[in-house]
Amino acid sequence: GSHDTMTYCLDKSSAVSVNESKLVKFLNKCLPCIVRPIIMKWSVTQVLTVTEQLEAGVRYLDFRIAHKANDPSMDLYFVHMVYTTVTVQDILWEILRWLETHPQEVVIIACRNFDGLTKRLHNHLVACIKEIFQCKLCPRNVVPTLRTMWHLGHQVIVSYEEGTELGKHCELWPPIPYWWGNKTSTRALIRYLEHMKRMGRPGEFFVAGINLTENLRYILVHPFGSLKKLTLQSLPCLKIWIKQQYPGPKKKCVNIIAGDFIGNNDFVKDVIELNTKI
C-alpha cells in the first residue's frame, strides 16, 4: 500500500486545507515565501503517479478526499495540508484504464477524511465511483478470494469512512483500520507496531503503516530536512522489520503494509515476498 497516495501532485499555489491549524494558516498568509516551501517538503509522501504505483505493485490506495472551501463547483480533490492539481474523478478514470489492461489485478481504494464534503457531495462521489467502476466493484457481501473475484469480474474494493453512505450502498466496504504510529523515530514506530500486533490483528482488512510522521518540534530542529529524508533514513531498519513479518489470520500476522515513497529500497518487493511464507 501507499500512504497518502496522491501527494505527488500537490498544488504549490493551492490554499492551505481548512482543517490545518490556525497557526499554519496564519504563517502561510504572512510569510508564504518561507512557509510554503516548508509545507511542501513535509507534505509530499509519494513521487510516483498512481499508474506508476500500480505498475510497481501497490494494491492499496490511501485517498484523502476534500472539497475546496468556497468552491461553487462539485469538483473533489485530494488533500494533505494543501490540495492536489488533479480531481478525484480523473484519478478514478485513470485507475479504471489500468485495470482494463490488467484484468486479474485487484485494487483496494480507501476513501478517507472527506474535508468539506456535504451530504450532496458524498452522493456525487459515490455516484462517480459506481458509474466509473460499475461491475468491477466488489460488493461487501462477497468473500473476496482472488478466485471468486476473477470469476465474478470484480477488481475494486472501495472502503468508505462515512457510515451514512455505507448503509445505502452495498458496493462500499467499511473503513479499513490503519495502524498509524504518529512517530518521528524508527525505533518508536516499530515498538508501536509490535504493540499493536500483541493486541491482535483485526478479523478483516487492516493496514500497518510504516510511515514516520513529523511534528512542529521536529521540523524546527531540522530546518533543512524533509519527509523524504526522514523516510529514506528509516527504510533500512523498516526493511528488516518487514522481512520478519508473516501474513495470515493468526493473532500477530499482518495484512496490508503501507509506506511513504514506495518506489525506494525494494519496499513493494519485500512486502509481496511475504506471501511465500503462507
Side-chain angles (χ1 to χ4, degrees):
S2 59
H3 168 250
D4 260 312
T5 302
M6 295 304 303
T7 55
Y8 64 86
C9 58
L10 293 178
D11 185 353
K12 294 177 183 178
S13 60
S14 148
V16 174
S17 164
V18 293
N19 275 8
E20 292 304 320
S21 69
K22 290 181 180 179
L23 176 60
V24 170
K25 286 188 277 191
F26 173 76
L27 291 174
N28 181 63
K29 188 174 182 179
C30 296
L31 301 165
C33 57
I34 296 173
V35 175
R36 183 49 63 106
I38 295 173
I39 287 175
M40 297 304 294
K41 283 199 302 180
W42 293 98
S43 297
V44 174
T45 66
Q46 307 295 339
V47 293
L48 300 184
T49 68
V50 72
T51 296
E52 289 169 340
Q53 291 180 38
L54 291 168
E55 288 288 342
V58 166
R59 296 295 178 267
Y60 167 89
L61 304 173
D62 176 20
F63 283 175
R64 317 293 177 93
I65 295 173
H67 183 256
K68 294 179 180 179
N70 305 315
D71 182 355
S73 77
M74 300 281 280
D75 291 340
L76 298 175
Y77 296 84
F78 305 95
V79 67
H80 191 214
M81 295 193 74
V82 294
Y83 302 98
T84 55
T85 56
V86 298
T87 65
V88 172
Q89 201 166 359
D90 286 344
I91 292 302
L92 296 179
W93 282 112
E94 185 175 339
I95 294 168
L96 175 67
R97 288 192 293 271
W98 187 86
L99 289 171
E100 286 175 337
T101 59
H102 299 79
Q104 287 196 304
E105 296 299 327
V106 173
V107 173
I108 298 172
I109 300 174
C111 297
R112 310 171 64 193
N113 282 40
F114 302 124
D115 292 357
L117 264 71
T118 60
K119 183 177 179 180
R120 180 166 170 254
L121 287 167
H122 274 293
N123 290 338
H124 171 64
L125 173 57
V126 175
C128 286
I129 290 169
K130 292 169 73 170
E131 177 196 354
I132 290 168
F133 294 119
Q134 299 187 24
C135 62
K136 291 186 183 298
L137 287 171
C138 178
R140 62 177 176 270
N141 63 344
V142 172
V143 178
T145 67
L146 285 175
R147 280 195 183 91
T148 299
M149 295 187 74
W150 290 338
H151 176 69
L152 297 174
H154 300 322
Q155 289 185 268
V156 183
I157 291 172
V158 175
S159 82
Y160 206 86
E161 279 193 2
E162 215 291 316
T164 307
E165 298 303 319
L166 284 175
K168 295 189 290 187
H169 304 280
C170 66
E171 298 89 350
L172 302 180
W173 288 61
I176 295 175
Y178 194 107
W179 290 357
W180 177 50
N182 193 19
K183 308 293 183 186
T184 57
S185 94
T186 313
R187 287 185 180 181
L189 176 59
I190 290 173
R191 282 198 300 269
Y192 164 79
L193 293 172
E194 288 299 318
H195 167 73
M196 295 300 289
K197 282 169 58 184
R198 287 193 296 273
M199 300 289 287
R201 61 151 292 168
E204 298 177 347
F205 292 121
F206 74 99
V207 183
I210 63 160
N211 49 290
L212 293 172
T213 306
E214 81 290 347
N215 53 38
L216 184 58
R217 180 179 178 276
Y218 188 91
I219 292 173
L220 292 174
V221 173
H222 300 83
F224 302 107
S226 68
L227 188 56
K228 187 168 187 177
K229 285 182 183 178
L230 179 63
T231 300
L232 296 185
Q233 290 166 4
S234 72
L235 283 178
C237 287
L238 289 169
K239 182 184 178 78
I240 294 170
W241 182 84
I242 290 168
K243 285 177 172 288
Q244 294 169 343
Q245 303 314 301
Y246 287 84
K250 294 180 181 177
K251 179 179 177 180
K252 292 187 178 181
C253 287
V254 295
N255 183 219
I256 300 165
I257 301 177
D260 292 333
F261 301 102
I262 57 87
N264 290 282
N265 206 26
D266 296 328
F267 164 69
V268 175
K269 175 174 165 286
D270 291 340
V271 174
I272 292 172
E273 282 185 353
L274 295 179
N275 290 307
T276 61
K277 297 182 180 182
I278 297 176

